Amino acid sequence: MKTLYTKFVVTTIVIMIFSSLTAFFISNLYYQSSLKPKNDAKTTELAVEMVQYIEKHPELPLANYLQHSAATGYHIMLIDSKNNTKMFGEPFRDTALDQTTIDKVLNGEIFHGIAEFPQQTFVTGFFANELKNSIGVPLHYANETYAFFLRPNVKIAFNEMHYLFAALIIFTILLSIILVLLSTKFIVQPIKKLKAATSSIADGNYKIQLDHRNDELGQLSESFMQMAKKLSYVDEKRKEFISNISHDIQSPLSNIKGFMTLIENEHTIKEQYALSINAEINRLSTLTNQLLQLTTLDQQERTVKFKNYSLDEQLQKLIHQYQWQFQQKDLMASYSLPATTIYGDSELLSMVWDNLLSNAIKYTNEFGMIGIQLQQDSDAISVIFHDNGIGIPEQEQQRIFERFYRVDSARTRTIEGTGLGLAIAQQIVQLHNGTIDVVSTTGAGTTITVTIPQNDANDYL
């Protein structure tokens, strides 16, 4: 996977190289099409003026004049009709020139060697100190005809190059700016989409789709979409929570209102209505108490008070408290509770055992069996609750720890409950770094195993 850093570095290097090469070729095109013809014309004009000056002043010492002119920054060569040559100033690096060209100049034609120089790179073409890269003009002096060849030396040529260098720099900067703008747009585009997705989520629309990329922005987009999915899930649960709590509060309030109406209108069996009202009030009290417990656990306002205490004694007391319910439904209880010391919050864990045992009793038919088993190994303690009750459908088992969720989704309320007990139990077990597992078969019963690790006390800090 290419990181955004790598892409940025590679893109910058590519832009620099591409801009430089492109500007080089554009500048070369400018040189070939404009600068070289202008240089040829300028040099031709100078050569013609020098020849005209010499021809108008026949008494002028030709060698001295040409030597002085060459000293100002030019390469000069004279070739007579017998092909005798003489150079003035710094010599040409290459004096190769076909005889036909020399003869044409001797016969009165002007040789435009600078303009006709082969189409090579501008550096080679501009600085090539060769005779064929010069201007040839016929010169008549002292009854002799010469081929007069002239070209600027490197110093003057370099001074002339500032236009070309300026064009090269300008083209490089312009191309770099254009490419940077394009590449920046490519990099910024996914950020703009993320911004739009943020606004969409703020408006309550969690269904967003971002482009897949193999870099940090791609990872951010993937995380953002995962976050949107989780927010959507939380929003659905929030709405479901509001619906459930509204139902669970409204139902007993409606019952209380109905019973109060009956009490006002009738003069008999008021005691029975009073008992029903009291039951509904208890139901509301239990609900609000469990909601308060969940809120406290969620916000971690309650400090978990870890200590060593006897778990087997705690479970024995719990079984004794529910003895009357065992007898009421003719349930058989079996338990194996070896002496076990656990490190945990006794008050919170008591809520867990109480909830699991009460659920086992609720969902086990008359003459059923409930078993509690306590196991301990080197690093964990497990408490197992088993019953042969109605069981939980497989498709429902993943949701039983959700708040307000009850398997009797139609809410017949044939079995009392708020749907919060298992959510509270799971929250408490997680505060102890433990796990709670469910194995159940419809019509055959349910086994719930709570495992609490027993390592160093620092594990809970």
Side-chain angles (χ1 to χ4, degrees), residues 75-77 87 90-95 129-131 151:
H75 303 283
I76 299 175
M77 176 179 281
M87 283 188 281
E90 295 182 7
F92 286 94
R93 181 182 62 82
D94 184 357
T95 58
N129 181 20
E130 302 176 24
L131 186 60
R151 71 160 276 105

Side-chain angles (χ1 to χ4, degrees), residues 72 121 151 342 360 433 447:
T72 61
T121 58
R151 71 160 276 105
I342 189 173
N433 295 332
T447 299

Side-chain angles (χ1 to χ4, degrees), residues 289-306 309 311 314 342-356 381 383 401 403 420-437 449-454 459-460:
N289 183 54
Q290 288 182 331
L291 284 172
L292 180 60
Q293 290 175 351
L294 274 175
T295 303
T296 302
L297 293 173
D298 282 341
Q299 298 177 353
Q300 295 184 349
E301 292 180 352
R302 184 190 187 282
T303 303
V304 183
K305 300 175 182 178
F306 288 97
Y309 72 94
L311 178 58
Q314 185 181 50
I342 189 173
Y343 183 75
D345 189 312
S346 60
E347 183 179 343
L348 290 180
L349 289 177
S350 176
M351 295 182 192
V352 176
W353 318 136
D354 185 274
N355 179 268
L356 297 180
I381 294 174
V383 182
F401 295 104
R403 299 175 184 187
L420 292 174
L422 286 178
I424 294 174
Q426 185 185 55
Q427 196 93 343
I428 293 172
V429 171
Q430 289 175 348
L431 287 175
H432 287 75
N433 295 332
T435 59
I436 180 167
D437 302 306
T449 303
V450 177
T451 302
I452 305 294
Q454 294 294 290
D459 294 339
Y460 301 98

